[in-house]
Amino acid sequence: MTIKKLLLIKQPEVGKLIREVRGITGLIQEQFAGFLGITYSTVNRWEKGYAKASSLAMQKIEGMLEEMGKLGQKVSVKYLSN
């Protein structure tokens, strides 16, 4: 998986991807934001489709997906195929 492919995901799919990653990892928005080094309100805006994640944030999310192994790969493919 490459970050270039993840950057091609459009809203509202980015928000859905982030929400799904949070659900799988069991992180609330505040915890997810802390992991990425951003504010809770930024994660909230992403999930609601008001803003798209930066390339740096997408790299960190990609790292999370890679750490999840096969489950992360399955989630990535799901959103990259849309």
Side-chain angles (χ1 to χ4, degrees), residues 7-69:
L7 288 174
L8 296 175
I9 302 173
K10 305 276 188 221
Q11 279 295 24
E13 296 302 309
V14 170
K16 291 176 185 177
L17 167 69
I18 292 168
R19 182 172 288 137
E20 187 165 347
V21 169
R22 279 195 321 100
I24 292 168
T25 59
L27 298 174
I28 61 174
Q29 287 182 340
E30 290 88 350
Q31 294 167 322
F32 190 77
F35 174 79
L36 295 177
I38 58 173
T39 64
Y40 147 80
S41 61
T42 299
V43 174
N44 189 275
R45 285 194 310 271
W46 293 345
E47 288 189 8
K48 289 185 176 187
Y50 299 139
K52 187 172 178 181
S54 69
S55 59
L56 180 59
M58 292 302 286
Q59 285 176 323
K60 290 182 179 181
I61 293 167
E62 178 185 23
M64 290 177 86
L65 290 167
E66 287 174 355
E67 288 178 16
M68 296 162 95

